[in-house]
Amino acid sequence: MTYWKPIGECLGDFGYKGITVTVSDTDGLENYLSDGWEVARNYDIAYCGDELLTTLQELEQECLKQSRAGNGLLLDGSILYWVSYGITEPEEATNFVRQFYLAGYSYEETTQVFSKLAKPDTKLLQAFITTLNRLYQNEMKGE
């Protein structure tokens, strides 16, 4: 199923109990058809509403929660890029929180590092705070 994500929302790739979510900039249907796949049900694109996004965010959060470990982060890949050039896009802020959450960093540690790397921008801060509060909500409740 192709789902066009709402503007300003950032989902990551994840798999949970047989559901696989892959985020991409393009719809890969043509690639599948050229590889011999067939369309089982040819549905028109329809509006799904906010419920699908909420459900996908909850599934992603559960997947991240189950994968969380206190391993720390290596200074390479996107982490090295953020340290070198800063965080300038909402998608980067969301991915930053995901990576620090998975690595076992606390809410406070994640916030402190982000504040040193981020460029002051309203959309950037909104994406950071939204993702931070969603992923760390159980810790803030004391669970």
Side-chain angles (χ1 to χ4, degrees):
M1 168 177 79
T2 298
Y3 174 67
W4 302 100
K5 75 175 179 142
I7 295 171
E9 295 294 335
C10 303
L11 283 173
D13 296 346
F14 68 93
Y16 183 75
K17 293 188 178 183
I19 297 172
T20 302
V21 174
T22 304
V23 179
S24 71
D25 293 331
T26 60
D27 180 0
L29 180 60
E30 294 303 320
N31 291 338
Y32 290 119
L33 295 175
S34 67
D35 285 342
W37 289 56
E38 294 180 18
V39 175
R41 296 182 187 104
N42 193 14
Y43 294 122
D44 291 331
I45 295 175
Y47 177 73
C48 292
D50 294 338
E51 297 84 21
L52 179 59
L53 177 63
T54 301
T55 301
L56 290 173
Q57 287 174 332
E58 289 170 357
L59 289 173
E60 178 189 33
Q61 182 174 351
E62 185 61 28
C63 182
L64 290 171
K65 182 178 169 184
Q66 290 180 3
S67 300
R68 192 168 187 205
N71 298 334
L73 292 170
L74 295 175
L75 192 58
D76 65 357
S78 55
I79 304 294
L80 180 59
Y81 180 86
W82 294 328
V83 169
S84 300
Y85 301 105
I87 298 171
T88 58
E89 298 295 325
E91 292 81 13
E92 292 177 329
T94 300
N95 289 331
F96 175 88
V97 174
R98 281 189 193 110
Q99 288 192 32
F100 273 69
Y101 178 82
L102 281 171
Y105 290 93
S106 71
Y107 185 99
E108 292 79 18
E109 291 168 328
T110 304
T111 304
Q112 288 173 356
V113 174
F114 178 82
S115 69
K116 301 297 182 195
L117 298 177
K119 309 284 187 218
D121 177 88
T122 304
K123 289 181 182 179
L124 180 67
L125 295 175
Q126 181 180 6
F128 174 75
I129 294 296
T130 300
T131 307
L132 187 72
N133 289 338
R134 183 171 48 88
L135 293 182
Y136 285 93
Q137 69 184 350
N138 291 336
E139 288 181 22
M140 293 187 302
K141 293 177 187 175
E143 295 178 14

